[in-house]
Coordinates of all heavy atoms in Angstrom, one line a residue:
M18 N -97.0 111.7 -140.1 CA -95.8 112.0 -139.9 C -95.7 113.3 -139.2 O -95.9 114.3 -139.7 CB -95.0 112.0 -141.3 CG -93.6 112.2 -141.1 SD -92.7 111.9 -142.7 CE -92.9 113.5 -143.4
P19 N -95.0 113.4 -138.0 CA -94.9 114.6 -137.2 C -93.9 115.4 -137.9 O -92.8 115.0 -138.6 CB -94.5 114.2 -135.8 CG -93.9 112.8 -136.0 CD -94.6 112.2 -137.2
L20 N -93.9 116.7 -137.7 CA -92.9 117.6 -138.1 C -91.6 117.6 -137.3 O -91.7 117.3 -136.1 CB -93.4 119.1 -138.0 CG -94.6 119.6 -138.8 CD1 -94.8 121.0 -138.5 CD2 -94.1 119.5 -140.3
E21 N -90.5 117.6 -138.0 CA -89.3 117.7 -137.3 C -89.1 119.0 -136.7 O -89.4 120.0 -137.4 CB -88.0 117.3 -138.1 CG -87.8 115.9 -138.2 CD -86.5 115.6 -139.0 OE1 -85.5 116.2 -138.7 OE2 -86.5 114.7 -139.8
V22 N -88.7 119.2 -135.4 CA -88.5 120.5 -134.8 C -87.1 121.1 -135.2 O -86.1 120.5 -135.0 CB -88.4 120.4 -133.3 CG1 -88.2 121.8 -132.7 CG2 -89.8 119.7 -132.8
P23 N -87.1 122.1 -136.1 CA -85.9 122.7 -136.6 C -85.2 123.5 -135.4 O -85.9 124.1 -134.7 CB -86.3 123.6 -137.7 CG -87.8 124.0 -137.4 CD -88.3 122.8 -136.7
K24 N -84.0 123.5 -135.5 CA -83.1 124.4 -134.7 C -83.0 125.7 -135.4 O -82.5 125.8 -136.6 CB -81.8 123.9 -134.4 CG -81.8 122.5 -133.7 CD -82.1 122.7 -132.2 CE -82.0 121.5 -131.4 NZ -82.2 121.6 -130.0
L25 N -83.5 126.8 -134.8 CA -83.3 128.2 -135.3 C -81.8 128.6 -135.4 O -81.5 129.3 -136.3 CB -84.2 129.1 -134.6 CG -85.7 128.7 -134.6 CD1 -86.5 129.8 -133.7 CD2 -86.2 128.8 -136.1
D26 N -81.2 128.2 -134.4 CA -79.8 128.7 -134.2 C -79.0 127.5 -133.5 O -79.4 127.1 -132.4 CB -79.7 129.9 -133.5 CG -78.3 130.7 -133.7 OD1 -77.3 129.8 -134.0 OD2 -78.3 131.8 -133.5
R27 N -78.1 127.0 -134.1 CA -77.3 125.8 -133.5 C -76.1 126.2 -132.8 O -75.3 125.4 -132.3 CB -76.9 124.8 -134.7 CG -78.2 124.2 -135.3 CD -77.7 123.2 -136.4 NE -79.0 122.7 -137.0 CZ -79.6 121.6 -136.7 NH1 -79.3 121.0 -135.7 NH2 -80.7 121.3 -137.4
R28 N -75.8 127.4 -132.7 CA -74.6 127.9 -132.0 C -74.5 127.5 -130.5 O -75.6 127.5 -129.7 CB -74.4 129.4 -132.2 CG -74.1 129.8 -133.4 CD -73.8 131.3 -133.5 NE -75.0 132.0 -133.2 CZ -75.1 133.3 -133.1 NH1 -74.0 134.1 -133.1 NH2 -76.2 133.9 -132.7
T29 N -73.4 127.0 -129.9 CA -73.3 126.8 -128.5 C -72.6 127.8 -127.9 O -72.1 128.8 -128.5 CB -72.5 125.4 -128.5 OG1 -71.2 125.5 -128.9 CG2 -73.3 124.2 -129.2
F30 N -72.3 127.6 -126.6 CA -71.5 128.7 -125.8 C -70.1 128.8 -126.4 O -69.7 129.9 -126.6 CB -71.4 128.1 -124.3 CG -70.4 128.9 -123.5 CD1 -70.8 130.1 -123.0 CD2 -69.1 128.4 -123.2 CE1 -69.9 130.9 -122.2 CE2 -68.2 129.0 -122.6 CZ -68.6 130.4 -122.1
D31 N -69.6 127.7 -126.8 CA -68.1 127.7 -127.3 C -68.1 128.5 -128.6 O -67.1 129.3 -128.7 CB -67.6 126.3 -127.5 CG -67.3 125.6 -126.2 OD1 -67.0 126.2 -125.2 OD2 -67.5 124.4 -126.1
D32 N -69.1 128.3 -129.4 CA -69.1 129.0 -130.8 C -69.2 130.5 -130.5 O -68.6 131.3 -131.2 CB -70.2 128.5 -131.6 CG -70.1 127.0 -131.9 OD1 -69.0 126.6 -132.0 OD2 -71.2 126.4 -132.2
I33 N -70.2 130.9 -129.7 CA -70.4 132.4 -129.3 C -69.2 132.9 -128.7 O -68.8 134.1 -129.1 CB -71.6 132.5 -128.5 CG1 -72.9 131.8 -129.2 CG2 -72.0 133.8 -128.1 CD1 -74.1 131.7 -128.3
Y34 N -68.7 132.1 -127.7 CA -67.5 132.7 -127.0 C -66.3 132.9 -128.0 O -65.6 133.9 -128.0 CB -67.1 131.9 -125.8 CG -65.9 132.2 -125.0 CD1 -65.8 133.3 -124.3 CD2 -64.7 131.4 -125.2 CE1 -64.7 133.7 -123.7 CE2 -63.6 131.9 -124.5 CZ -63.7 133.0 -123.7 OH -62.4 133.3 -123.0
R35 N -66.1 131.9 -128.8 CA -64.9 132.0 -129.8 C -65.1 133.1 -130.8 O -64.2 133.8 -131.0 CB -64.7 130.6 -130.5 CG -63.5 130.5 -131.3 CD -63.3 129.1 -131.9 NE -63.9 128.1 -131.1 CZ -65.1 127.3 -131.6 NH1 -65.7 127.6 -132.6 NH2 -65.4 126.5 -130.9
E36 N -66.4 133.3 -131.2 CA -66.7 134.3 -132.1 C -66.4 135.7 -131.5 O -65.8 136.6 -132.2 CB -68.2 134.2 -132.7 CG -68.4 135.2 -133.7 CD -69.9 135.0 -134.2 OE1 -70.3 133.9 -134.1 OE2 -70.5 136.0 -134.6
A37 N -66.9 135.9 -130.4 CA -66.7 137.2 -129.7 C -65.2 137.4 -129.3 O -64.6 138.5 -129.5 CB -67.5 137.2 -128.4
L38 N -64.5 136.4 -129.0 CA -63.1 136.6 -128.6 C -62.2 136.9 -129.9 O -61.3 137.7 -129.7 CB -62.6 135.1 -128.1 CG -61.3 135.2 -127.3 CD1 -61.4 136.0 -126.1 CD2 -60.9 133.7 -126.8
L39 N -62.5 136.4 -131.0 CA -61.9 136.8 -132.3 C -62.1 138.2 -132.6 O -61.3 138.7 -133.5 CB -62.2 135.9 -133.3 CG -61.8 134.4 -133.1 CD1 -62.3 133.5 -134.3 CD2 -60.3 134.4 -133.3
R40 N -63.2 138.8 -132.2 CA -63.6 140.1 -132.6 C -62.8 141.2 -131.7 O -62.7 142.4 -132.0 CB -65.0 140.4 -132.5 CG -65.7 139.8 -133.4 CD -67.2 140.0 -133.3 NE -67.9 139.2 -134.2 CZ -69.0 139.5 -135.0 NH1 -69.5 140.8 -134.8 NH2 -69.6 138.8 -135.8
I41 N -62.2 140.7 -130.5 CA -61.5 141.7 -129.7 C -60.4 142.4 -130.3 O -60.3 143.7 -130.3 CB -61.0 141.0 -128.4 CG1 -62.2 140.6 -127.5 CG2 -60.1 141.9 -127.6 CD1 -61.9 139.7 -126.3
P42 N -59.5 141.9 -130.9 CA -58.4 142.5 -131.6 C -58.8 143.4 -132.7 O -58.0 144.5 -132.8 CB -57.4 141.3 -132.2 CG -57.9 140.2 -131.6 CD -59.3 140.3 -131.1
R43 N -59.9 143.2 -133.3 CA -60.2 144.2 -134.4 C -60.9 145.4 -133.8 O -60.6 146.5 -134.3 CB -61.4 143.5 -135.3 CG -61.9 144.3 -136.4 CD -63.0 143.7 -137.1 NE -62.8 142.4 -137.5 CZ -63.7 141.5 -137.9 NH1 -65.1 142.0 -137.9 NH2 -63.4 140.3 -138.3
Y44 N -61.6 145.3 -132.8 CA -62.3 146.5 -132.2 C -61.5 147.2 -131.1 O -61.7 148.3 -130.9 CB -63.7 146.2 -131.8 CG -64.5 145.7 -132.9 CD1 -65.0 144.4 -133.1 CD2 -65.0 146.7 -133.8 CE1 -65.7 144.0 -134.2 CE2 -65.8 146.2 -135.0 CZ -66.1 144.9 -135.1 OH -66.9 144.6 -136.3
T45 N -60.8 146.5 -130.3 CA -60.0 147.0 -129.2 C -58.7 146.4 -129.2 O -58.3 145.6 -128.4 CB -60.7 146.7 -127.9 OG1 -60.9 145.3 -127.7 CG2 -62.0 147.4 -127.8
P46 N -57.7 146.9 -130.1 CA -56.4 146.4 -130.3 C -55.5 146.6 -129.0 O -54.5 145.8 -128.7 CB -55.8 147.1 -131.5 CG -56.6 148.3 -131.7 CD -57.9 147.9 -131.0
E47 N -55.9 147.5 -128.1 CA -55.2 147.8 -126.7 C -55.5 146.7 -125.8 O -54.8 146.6 -124.8 CB -55.5 149.1 -126.3 CG -56.9 149.4 -125.9 CD -57.8 149.9 -127.0 OE1 -57.3 150.0 -128.1 OE2 -59.0 150.2 -126.7
W48 N -56.5 145.9 -125.9 CA -56.8 144.9 -125.0 C -56.0 143.6 -125.3 O -56.1 143.1 -126.3 CB -58.4 144.5 -125.2 CG -58.9 143.6 -124.2 CD1 -58.2 142.8 -123.3 CD2 -60.3 143.1 -124.1 NE1 -59.0 142.0 -122.6 CE2 -60.3 142.1 -123.0 CE3 -61.4 143.4 -124.7 CZ2 -61.6 141.6 -122.7 CZ3 -62.6 142.8 -124.3 CH2 -62.6 142.0 -123.4
T49 N -55.1 143.3 -124.4 CA -54.1 142.2 -124.6 C -54.2 141.1 -123.7 O -53.6 140.1 -123.9 CB -52.6 142.7 -124.6 OG1 -52.4 143.5 -123.4 CG2 -52.5 143.8 -125.8
D50 N -54.9 141.2 -122.5 CA -55.0 140.2 -121.6 C -56.3 139.3 -121.8 O -57.4 139.8 -121.6 CB -55.3 140.9 -120.2 CG -55.1 139.8 -119.0 OD1 -54.8 138.7 -119.3 OD2 -55.5 140.2 -118.0
F51 N -56.1 138.1 -122.3 CA -57.2 137.3 -122.6 C -57.2 136.1 -121.7 O -57.9 135.0 -122.0 CB -57.0 136.6 -124.1 CG -57.0 137.7 -125.1 CD1 -55.8 138.0 -125.9 CD2 -58.0 138.5 -125.4 CE1 -55.8 138.9 -126.8 CE2 -58.1 139.3 -126.5 CZ -56.9 139.6 -127.1
N52 N -56.7 136.2 -120.4 CA -56.9 135.3 -119.4 C -58.3 135.2 -118.8 O -59.0 136.2 -118.9 CB -55.9 135.5 -118.3 CG -54.5 135.4 -118.9 OD1 -54.1 134.4 -119.6 ND2 -53.5 136.2 -118.4
D53 N -58.7 134.1 -118.2 CA -60.1 134.0 -117.6 C -60.2 134.9 -116.4 O -61.2 135.3 -116.0 CB -60.3 132.5 -117.0 CG -60.6 131.6 -118.3 OD1 -60.9 132.1 -119.4 OD2 -60.6 130.4 -118.1
S54 N -59.0 135.4 -115.8 CA -59.0 136.3 -114.7 C -59.4 137.7 -115.1 O -59.7 138.5 -114.2 CB -57.8 136.1 -113.8 OG -56.7 136.6 -114.7
D55 N -59.4 138.0 -116.3 CA -59.7 139.4 -116.7 C -61.1 139.7 -116.7 O -61.8 138.9 -117.2 CB -59.2 139.6 -118.2 CG -59.2 141.0 -118.9 OD1 -58.8 141.9 -118.1 OD2 -59.9 141.1 -119.9
P56 N -61.4 140.9 -116.2 CA -63.0 141.1 -116.0 C -63.6 141.1 -117.3 O -64.8 140.8 -117.4 CB -63.0 142.5 -115.2 CG -61.7 142.6 -114.6 CD -60.6 141.8 -115.3
G57 N -62.9 141.6 -118.3 CA -63.6 141.7 -119.6 C -63.9 140.4 -120.2 O -65.0 140.2 -120.8
I58 N -62.9 139.4 -120.0 CA -63.2 138.1 -120.6 C -64.2 137.4 -119.7 O -65.2 136.6 -120.2 CB -61.8 137.1 -120.4 CG1 -60.8 137.9 -121.3 CG2 -62.1 135.7 -120.7 CD1 -61.2 137.8 -122.9
T59 N -64.4 137.6 -118.4 CA -65.5 137.2 -117.5 C -66.8 137.7 -118.1 O -67.7 136.8 -118.2 CB -65.2 137.5 -116.1 OG1 -63.9 137.1 -115.6 CG2 -66.2 137.0 -115.2
L60 N -66.9 138.9 -118.4 CA -68.1 139.4 -119.0 C -68.4 138.8 -120.3 O -69.7 138.5 -120.6 CB -68.1 141.0 -119.1 CG -68.2 141.9 -117.7 CD1 -67.7 143.2 -118.1 CD2 -69.6 141.5 -117.2
L61 N -67.5 138.7 -121.0 CA -67.6 138.0 -122.4 C -68.2 136.6 -122.2 O -69.1 136.2 -122.9 CB -66.3 137.9 -123.1 CG -66.3 137.7 -124.7 CD1 -66.8 138.9 -125.3 CD2 -65.0 137.3 -125.1
Q62 N -67.7 135.8 -121.2 CA -68.2 134.4 -120.9 C -69.6 134.6 -120.3 O -70.6 133.7 -120.8 CB -67.3 133.8 -119.9 CG -66.0 133.4 -120.4 CD -65.0 133.0 -119.4 OE1 -65.3 133.1 -118.1 NE2 -63.9 132.3 -119.7
L63 N -69.9 135.5 -119.6 CA -71.2 135.9 -119.1 C -72.3 136.0 -120.2 O -73.3 135.6 -120.2 CB -71.3 136.9 -118.1 CG -72.7 137.3 -117.6 CD1 -73.3 136.1 -116.7 CD2 -72.6 138.5 -116.8
Y64 N -72.0 137.0 -121.1 CA -72.8 137.3 -122.3 C -72.9 136.0 -123.2 O -74.1 135.9 -123.7 CB -72.4 138.5 -123.0 CG -72.4 139.7 -122.2 CD1 -71.5 140.6 -122.1 CD2 -73.6 140.1 -121.6 CE1 -71.6 141.8 -121.5 CE2 -73.8 141.2 -121.0 CZ -72.8 142.2 -120.7 OH -72.9 143.3 -120.1
A65 N -71.9 135.3 -123.4 CA -72.0 134.1 -124.2 C -73.0 133.0 -123.6 O -73.7 132.5 -124.2 CB -70.7 133.5 -124.5
W66 N -72.9 132.9 -122.4 CA -73.7 132.0 -121.6 C -75.2 132.5 -121.7 O -76.0 131.7 -121.9 CB -73.3 131.9 -120.1 CG -74.2 131.1 -119.4 CD1 -74.2 129.6 -119.4 CD2 -75.2 131.3 -118.3 NE1 -75.2 129.2 -118.4 CE2 -75.8 130.2 -117.9 CE3 -75.6 132.6 -117.9 CZ2 -76.8 130.3 -116.9 CZ3 -76.6 132.6 -117.1 CH2 -77.2 131.4 -116.5
L67 N -75.5 133.8 -121.5 CA -76.8 134.2 -121.6 C -77.4 134.1 -123.0 O -78.5 133.9 -123.2 CB -76.8 135.6 -121.1 CG -76.6 136.1 -119.7 CD1 -76.5 137.5 -119.2 CD2 -77.8 135.4 -118.8
T68 N -76.5 134.4 -123.8 CA -77.0 134.3 -125.4 C -77.3 132.7 -125.7 O -78.3 132.5 -126.3 CB -75.9 134.6 -126.4 OG1 -75.6 136.1 -126.1 CG2 -76.3 134.6 -127.7
E69 N -76.6 131.9 -125.0 CA -76.8 130.5 -125.4 C -78.1 130.1 -124.6 O -79.0 129.4 -125.2 CB -75.8 129.6 -124.8 CG -76.0 128.1 -125.0 CD -75.0 127.3 -124.3 OE1 -74.6 127.6 -123.2 OE2 -74.7 126.2 -124.9
M70 N -78.5 130.6 -123.5 CA -79.8 130.4 -122.9 C -80.9 130.8 -123.7 O -81.9 130.3 -123.8 CB -79.7 130.9 -121.4 CG -79.0 130.2 -120.4 SD -79.2 128.5 -120.2 CE -77.9 127.8 -121.0
M71 N -80.8 132.1 -124.1 CA -81.8 132.7 -125.0 C -82.0 131.9 -126.2 O -83.1 131.7 -126.7 CB -81.4 134.1 -125.4 CG -82.5 134.9 -126.0 SD -82.0 136.6 -126.3 CE -80.6 136.4 -127.4
L72 N -81.0 131.5 -126.9 CA -81.2 130.5 -128.1 C -81.8 129.3 -127.7 O -82.6 128.8 -128.6 CB -79.8 130.4 -128.7 CG -79.1 131.5 -129.3 CD1 -77.8 131.2 -129.9 CD2 -79.9 132.2 -130.5
Y73 N -81.5 128.7 -126.6 CA -82.1 127.4 -126.2 C -83.6 127.6 -126.1 O -84.4 126.8 -126.6 CB -81.5 127.0 -124.9 CG -82.3 125.9 -124.2 CD1 -82.2 124.6 -124.8 CD2 -83.0 126.0 -123.3 CE1 -82.8 123.5 -124.2 CE2 -83.8 124.9 -122.6 CZ -83.5 123.6 -123.2 OH -84.2 122.6 -122.6
E74 N -84.0 128.7 -125.5 CA -85.5 128.9 -125.3 C -86.2 129.3 -126.6 O -87.2 128.9 -126.9 CB -85.8 130.1 -124.4 CG -85.4 129.8 -122.9 CD -86.2 128.7 -122.3 OE1 -87.4 128.5 -122.7 OE2 -85.7 128.0 -121.6
M75 N -85.4 129.9 -127.5 CA -86.0 130.2 -129.0 C -86.2 128.9 -129.7 O -87.1 128.8 -130.5 CB -85.2 131.2 -129.7 CG -85.3 132.6 -129.2 SD -84.3 133.9 -130.0 CE -83.7 133.2 -131.4
N76 N -85.2 127.9 -129.4 CA -85.4 126.6 -130.2 C -86.6 125.7 -129.7 O -86.8 124.6 -130.1 CB -84.1 126.0 -130.2 CG -83.0 126.5 -131.1 OD1 -83.5 127.1 -132.1 ND2 -81.8 126.4 -130.7
R77 N -87.2 126.3 -128.5 CA -88.2 125.4 -127.9 C -89.6 125.9 -128.3 O -90.5 125.6 -127.6 CB -88.1 125.4 -126.5 CG -86.7 124.7 -125.9 CD -86.7 124.6 -124.4 NE -87.9 123.8 -124.0 CZ -88.2 124.0 -122.8 NH1 -87.7 124.8 -121.9 NH2 -89.4 123.3 -122.4
V78 N -89.8 126.5 -129.4 CA -91.1 127.0 -130.0 C -92.0 125.7 -129.9 O -91.8 124.7 -130.6 CB -90.9 127.6 -131.2 CG1 -92.3 128.0 -131.7 CG2 -90.0 128.8 -131.2
P79 N -93.3 125.9 -129.5 CA -94.2 124.8 -129.6 C -94.6 124.4 -130.8 O -94.6 125.2 -131.8 CB -95.4 125.3 -128.6 CG -95.0 126.6 -128.1 CD -93.8 127.1 -128.7
E80 N -95.0 123.1 -131.0 CA -95.5 122.6 -132.3 C -96.7 123.4 -132.9 O -96.8 123.6 -134.2 CB -95.9 121.1 -132.2 CG -96.1 120.5 -133.6 CD -96.4 119.0 -133.5 OE1 -95.9 118.5 -132.4 OE2 -97.1 118.6 -134.3
R81 N -97.5 123.9 -132.0 CA -98.7 124.6 -132.5 C -98.3 125.9 -133.3 O -98.9 126.3 -134.2 CB -99.5 125.2 -131.1 CG -100.6 125.9 -131.5 CD -101.4 126.5 -130.1 NE -100.4 127.3 -129.6 CZ -100.6 128.1 -128.6 NH1 -101.8 128.3 -128.2 NH2 -99.5 128.8 -128.0
N82 N -97.1 126.6 -132.9 CA -96.6 127.6 -133.7 C -96.3 127.2 -135.1 O -96.5 128.0 -136.0 CB -95.4 128.3 -133.0 CG -95.8 129.0 -131.8 OD1 -96.9 128.9 -131.3 ND2 -95.0 129.9 -131.2
Y83 N -95.6 126.1 -135.2 CA -95.3 125.6 -136.6 C -96.6 125.4 -137.4 O -96.5 125.7 -138.6 CB -94.5 124.3 -136.6 CG -93.2 124.6 -135.8 CD1 -92.8 123.9 -134.6 CD2 -92.2 125.3 -136.5 CE1 -91.6 124.1 -134.1 CE2 -90.8 125.5 -135.9 CZ -90.7 124.8 -134.8 OH -89.4 125.1 -134.1
I84 N -97.6 124.9 -136.8 CA -98.8 124.7 -137.6 C -99.3 126.1 -138.0 O -99.9 126.3 -139.1 CB -99.9 123.9 -136.7 CG1 -99.4 122.4 -136.5 CG2 -101.2 123.9 -137.3 CD1 -100.0 121.7 -135.6
K85 N -99.3 127.0 -137.1 CA -99.9 128.4 -137.4 C -99.1 129.0 -138.5 O -99.5 129.7 -139.4 CB -99.9 129.3 -136.2 CG -100.9 128.9 -135.2 CD -102.3 129.0 -135.8 CE -103.3 128.7 -134.6 NZ -104.7 128.9 -135.1
F86 N -97.7 128.7 -138.5 CA -96.8 129.4 -139.6 C -97.2 128.7 -140.8 O -97.2 129.3 -141.9 CB -95.3 129.1 -139.3 CG -94.8 129.8 -138.0 CD1 -93.9 129.3 -137.2 CD2 -95.3 131.1 -137.8 CE1 -93.3 129.9 -136.2 CE2 -94.8 131.8 -136.6 CZ -93.8 131.2 -135.8
L87 N -97.4 127.4 -140.9 CA -97.8 126.7 -142.1 C -99.1 127.4 -142.6 O -99.4 127.5 -143.8 CB -97.9 125.2 -142.0 CG -96.7 124.5 -141.9 CD1 -97.0 123.0 -141.4 CD2 -95.9 124.5 -143.1
Q88 N -100.1 127.7 -141.6 CA -101.4 128.2 -142.2 C -101.2 129.6 -142.8 O -101.9 129.9 -143.5 CB -102.3 128.2 -140.9 CG -102.8 126.9 -140.6 CD -103.6 126.8 -139.4 OE1 -103.7 127.9 -138.6 NE2 -104.2 125.7 -138.9
L89 N -100.1 130.3 -142.2 CA -99.9 131.7 -142.7 C -99.3 131.5 -144.1 O -99.7 132.5 -145.0 CB -98.9 132.3 -141.9 CG -99.4 132.9 -140.6 CD1 -98.2 133.5 -139.8 CD2 -100.3 133.9 -140.8
L90 N -98.9 130.4 -144.6 CA -98.3 130.1 -145.9 C -99.3 129.5 -146.7 O -99.1 129.0 -147.9 CB -97.1 129.3 -145.7 CG -95.8 130.0 -145.1 CD1 -94.7 129.1 -145.0 CD2 -95.4 131.2 -146.0
N91 N -100.6 129.4 -146.2 CA -101.6 128.7 -147.0 C -101.2 127.1 -147.3 O -101.7 126.6 -148.2 CB -102.1 129.4 -148.2 CG -102.7 130.6 -148.0 OD1 -103.4 130.8 -146.9 ND2 -102.5 131.5 -148.9
M92 N -100.7 126.5 -146.3 CA -100.3 125.1 -146.3 C -100.8 124.4 -145.1 O -101.3 125.0 -144.1 CB -98.8 124.9 -146.3 CG -98.0 125.7 -147.4 SD -96.2 125.7 -147.3 CE -96.0 124.1 -148.0
E93 N -100.9 123.1 -145.3 CA -101.5 122.2 -144.2 C -100.5 121.1 -144.1 O -99.7 120.7 -145.0 CB -102.9 121.7 -144.6 CG -103.9 122.8 -144.7 CD -105.3 122.3 -144.7 OE1 -105.5 121.0 -144.6 OE2 -106.3 123.1 -145.1
L94 N -100.7 120.4 -143.0 CA -100.0 119.1 -142.7 C -100.3 118.0 -143.7 O -101.5 117.8 -144.0 CB -100.2 118.5 -141.3 CG -99.4 119.5 -140.2 CD1 -99.8 119.0 -138.7 CD2 -97.9 119.5 -140.4

């Protein structure tokens, strides 16, 4: 029975973007323009996209690594 590949982080672009958007009023209450044309929102979208790409690559860890992790725990398949 093969190991199921676990997802280390299941967040998507929308999740990351929404979470960052909700933090704006807390940290910068003077920022009131939340339109896509705002340069700050554009940067926020860019960082959310880059974070999603990084999480995608992290979730593609080869099966060999899972076997090595099990060996570190003194376990076998």
Side-chain angles (χ1 to χ4, degrees):
M18 180 169 86
L20 289 176
E21 276 190 39
V22 179
K24 294 281 187 184
L25 300 175
D26 196 338
R27 296 180 186 272
R28 292 182 295 171
T29 62
F30 169 82
D31 293 327
D32 298 333
I33 298 165
Y34 176 68
R35 191 176 327 108
E36 183 179 329
L38 201 59
L39 290 174
R40 291 180 186 219
I41 291 173
R43 180 186 309 161
Y44 294 109
T45 55
E47 63 275 1
W48 186 354
T49 57
D50 185 10
F51 298 113
N52 295 322
D53 286 341
S54 60
D55 182 53
I58 296 297
T59 303
L60 283 174
L61 198 71
Q62 292 170 343
L63 175 65
Y64 288 131
W66 178 75
L67 289 171
T68 303
E69 182 188 35
M70 291 299 108
M71 187 176 62
L72 292 175
Y73 171 76
E74 291 298 327
M75 283 179 19
N76 284 331
R77 295 185 57 204
V78 174
E80 186 175 339
R81 181 184 59 160
N82 289 12
Y83 293 114
I84 295 170
K85 292 293 182 182
F86 294 147
L87 286 174
Q88 290 174 352
L89 286 173
L90 297 171
N91 293 326
M92 302 173 88
E93 291 185 19
L94 288 176

